[in-house]
Structures are given as C-alpha cells and as structure tokens.
Amino acid sequence: MRHRCSLEAHQCEDPFPRGRPIYEDASTVLYEVDGKEHTLYCQNLCLLSKLFLDQKTIYYDIGGFLFYILVVKSVVDGQLAFNFAGYFSKEKISVEHNNLACILVLPPFRGQNFGQLMIELSYELTRLEKTTGGPEQPLSSQGFHSYRSYWRRALMQALLGQSHSVEAYLQRSSRAMGAHTHKWEEKQRIFSLGRLSRLTGIRIEDVLFTLEDLGLMQFWRGRHVVCIADETIRKIASEKRIQLGQRIDHGGFLVSCDDESDESDCDDTSTVHSKLSSESPNDTASVGQEDAA
C-alpha cells in the first residue's frame, strides 16, 4: 500500500484466531468458525483460497458452512504466537453426508502433513457425531491422492486393531462377550463393513474402494470378505509405503466426546468375537458385508 492511511484502514482490530477452539495439541490448534456469525471473515477466507484453488466457486453464500481454521504455534521473542496454516470447510447440513467441502494449506506450510492432519480431523469430527461422511465430489487429482492415502492408512490401522475407536470397541466387545468367547476367537477381529465404516467415519463406498484398491477384498460364498493375517497387512503397508500411525492427539479434543458407542453397536449382527492380541503373528482381521446396506 502506498499510503499509511490505507494500511491503517485495512488493519483488523478483531482478535485472532477467531471462533472457538475444538482441538489442540503440542504444535497446532483448530478453531471452528460459523460462516453465519463471522460472514466477512469467512468470505475473505474463500477469496484467499481462490488464489490457490482454481475450482473454488463459493465466495459469498457461506452462511450454511462451518470453517475450521488450523493455526500453528510458535514462540516469538519469548511469547506464544499463532500462525495461520490453512483451513477446511464443510456444510452444516449435507444431504450427501459430506464432511469436507474445501481444504487449503498455505504454501509455506505444505510438505508438513498439515493436509493429512485436517483430513483426519474432519473424519474424527464425523465419527464423534456418530455418522459417516466423505469429501465433496468430484475430487481433484491432488485431492484424490490425499484422500486415498488417508483411507488406506485409516482402514489398515482399523484392521490391525490400532485405531483409537477400534481399540475402545474391542474392549467393550470383550466385556460384553465375557465367557461366551471361544478359544479359536481369541486371536480374531471380525467386523461388518457397516461397523468398519462407523468406527472410522468413512463412507461404505470409500471403504469398499480402498479394500479393493489394496487387494484385500475377495468374493467368498456369495459375499465380499477380508480374512488375512496381521503380518500380511503390515507387508502390504510396507510395499505401498503406507505410514501407519495416527497424527492427531485424541486427548486434545476440547469438544464433548463420548467414546462409548451408541447402543445400536450392540445390536449389530456382525460383532467382534474377541479382544486384540497384537503380539501373535497369527492374529487375523475379518470383514463381512452383512449390514453394508
């Protein structure tokens, strides 16, 4: 700007970051901003993303969207500072159950897995709402590769019993089954596709696509099943360079979270018959398609 008065006129006196914090870990904080309450702020976010996303089309009609702002913590002159790294948005009410409409990571912060972090956070928020979802279609080429990478990692962790939600579910199932657990079931994890979808928050069609993409889905006795050893899953992860491990800190959520799944989980016809025993190479994970519809 050429004149100081122009600079002063464009200075924002409102506090930053804006909105309510819903997640915080050692290096990042996620804020939720309502597009209806902070209209101008969210419009500016959309216009900013237009500089980097050619397919961005919505700029002003943003009252029906929630915006999630990712800021990175840093220390400047001994004081804690927040740097805007990116954001993602989603519709408040989506008929197609989309949990993400737009995602942006600013160039200085790319290559640091912040995109994967925001994708994982969007699915975790979906799972906390006890529903399933996915990105708004169609996906760009870069978006497709990012989501395929997350789907692969999330589902392989679930099949290995390493997902936070799956671990909690296995513990509940073990307590519920009690003495009804047989010896042959002690080293198995059995899921229906519907349950696997609910535990990860990923839509069933995306679950099916990912399992087929990894070569884990087979057709047996009139239905699709997965029944392989843990060591085979780890081998596939190594061959395809899938880095297992969650990027988020589940203790960092500042919103109400009920880890105990709703009672409908207990009524599912396809249940986990035993608890996890990850030390044994003979552990298996099985998936059936009974309640995929």
Side-chain angles (χ1 to χ4, degrees):
M1 297 183 182
R2 296 183 179 181
H3 305 287
R4 183 177 182 83
C5 59
S6 298
L7 175 62
E8 293 176 350
H10 285 81
Q11 286 182 344
C12 180
E13 298 180 356
D14 292 333
F16 176 82
R18 196 172 300 188
R20 64 164 186 153
I22 62 172
Y23 171 81
E24 182 176 5
D25 58 25
S27 59
T28 60
V29 186
L30 187 73
Y31 288 84
E32 181 184 75
V33 181
D34 192 329
K36 187 175 183 179
E37 295 181 4
H38 303 276
T39 304
L40 181 61
Y41 180 80
C42 296
Q43 287 176 348
N44 289 334
L45 282 176
C46 294
L47 292 172
L48 174 65
S49 64
K50 180 62 179 176
L51 299 174
F52 307 98
L53 304 174
D54 294 334
Q55 67 272 22
K56 183 66 177 176
T57 57
I58 298 178
Y59 315 114
Y60 301 109
D61 187 17
I62 43 83
F65 288 83
L66 292 173
F67 292 77
Y68 294 89
I69 316 300
L70 183 70
V71 297
V72 179
K73 299 178 183 178
S74 63
V75 178
V76 179
D77 297 331
Q79 294 184 349
L80 183 64
F82 297 95
N83 300 307
F84 172 60
Y87 83 95
F88 69 91
S89 62
K90 73 171 185 178
E91 294 179 274
K92 295 178 182 177
I93 302 176
S94 175
V95 177
E96 299 177 351
H97 302 286
N98 297 325
N99 64 4
L100 189 144
C102 177
I103 184 171
L104 170 70
V105 179
L106 294 180
F109 298 94
R110 292 178 182 173
Q112 303 178 45
N113 288 324
F114 288 128
Q116 286 289 305
L117 174 63
M118 286 193 285
I119 290 175
E120 187 167 347
L121 285 169
S122 70
Y123 274 107
E124 188 63 22
L125 291 172
T126 299
R127 194 188 66 79
L128 294 180
E129 295 171 357
K130 300 188 186 302
T131 184
T132 62
E136 186 177 293
Q137 301 292 339
L139 287 172
S140 64
S141 176
Q142 183 178 3
F144 170 75
H145 289 294
S146 297
Y147 267 93
R148 184 177 67 172
S149 175
Y150 172 76
W151 291 336
R152 286 177 168 183
R153 177 166 56 86
L155 290 175
M156 296 194 85
Q157 286 179 178
L159 291 174
L160 289 171
Q162 297 177 357
S163 171
H164 174 77
S165 59
V166 174
E167 288 178 352
Y169 166 69
L170 291 174
Q171 292 175 1
R172 293 195 305 273
S173 299
S174 177
R175 293 196 301 265
M177 294 297 293
H180 298 287
T181 304
H182 301 285
K183 291 183 178 180
W184 66 272
E185 298 172 317
E186 292 180 355
K187 296 177 180 179
Q188 278 194 331
R189 294 176 300 277
I190 303 176
F191 304 94
S192 66
L193 285 174
R195 185 179 298 280
L196 187 60
S197 173
R198 291 192 296 273
L199 289 173
T200 58
I202 302 174
R203 287 185 295 217
I204 286 183
E205 51 265 37
D206 296 327
V207 172
L208 279 170
F209 165 79
T210 306
L211 293 176
E212 291 176 351
D213 181 53
L214 292 171
L216 299 178
M217 184 68 70
Q218 297 180 358
F219 197 72
W220 180 70
R221 291 189 178 182
R223 61 175 182 169
H224 290 92
V225 298
V226 174
C227 186
I228 56 179
D230 286 2
E231 57 184 6
T232 305
I233 298 178
R234 294 190 177 94
K235 180 180 179 181
I236 294 175
S238 177
E239 292 175 349
K240 295 185 178 294
R241 299 180 180 180
I242 302 173
Q243 296 181 355
L244 301 177
Q246 294 181 319
R247 291 177 170 83
I248 63 175
D249 178 10
H250 287 276
F253 280 95
L254 306 177
V255 292
S256 59
C257 170
D258 183 10
D259 287 333
E260 294 295 332
S261 188
D262 55 0
E263 294 181 359
S264 63
D265 284 346
C266 300
D267 298 329
D268 199 310
T269 56
S270 177
T271 57
V272 174
H273 291 294
S274 68
K275 58 185 178 181
L276 174 63
S277 175
S278 59
E279 298 179 355
S280 172
N282 296 322
D283 291 350
T284 60
S286 303
V287 179
Q289 200 180 12
E290 290 88 345
D291 62 345

